[in-house]
Amino acid sequence: MLYAIVCTDRPDSLAERIAARPAHRERLRLLQDAGRLLLAGPCPAIDATDPGPAGFSGSLIVAEFDSLVAARAWADADPYVGNGVYAEVSVKPFVKALPA
């Protein structure tokens, strides 16, 4: 089943985000290589593709996992969690309706 992982950044966490980005992206690449990643990306803190020093307000990941427990465990092990980037992480079952 698909799960939406919705993450909210801690204020002023851009430096920690940049430092942990390679490890974070490698985990996402592993999901992609396994054919389990539907989409992933950051949410800029301002209305710009590259927010510069404004940084990001969070991230969204939609991926396939065996269960909600497995999705939550994967999210909890993210380098952004371990490095204090995320203040909050929500994991919910997700049903892709469109595009079909």
Side-chain angles (χ1 to χ4, degrees):
M1 176 164 201
L2 291 172
Y3 294 88
I5 303 170
V6 181
C7 310
T8 303
D9 281 20
R10 181 179 54 75
D12 301 316
S13 61
L14 183 58
E16 291 87 351
R17 179 182 266 273
I18 291 168
R21 183 175 288 150
H24 169 78
R25 290 183 58 112
E26 179 57 29
R27 294 180 81 235
L28 291 170
R29 273 192 285 278
L30 292 173
L31 279 180
Q32 181 177 0
D33 291 349
R36 296 172 43 205
L37 182 63
L38 182 65
L39 64 90
C43 301
I46 61 172
D47 191 11
T49 304
D50 180 359
F56 300 89
S57 63
S59 301
L60 171 63
I61 301 163
V62 179
E64 184 179 343
F65 293 93
D66 291 334
S67 66
L68 180 58
V69 170
R72 169 50 69 185
W74 187 90
D76 287 346
D78 192 285
Y80 283 175
V81 172
N83 285 303
V85 175
Y86 293 151
E88 183 179 352
V89 177
S90 171
V91 181
K92 299 178 183 182
F94 179 80
V95 176
K96 181 181 177 255
L98 294 172

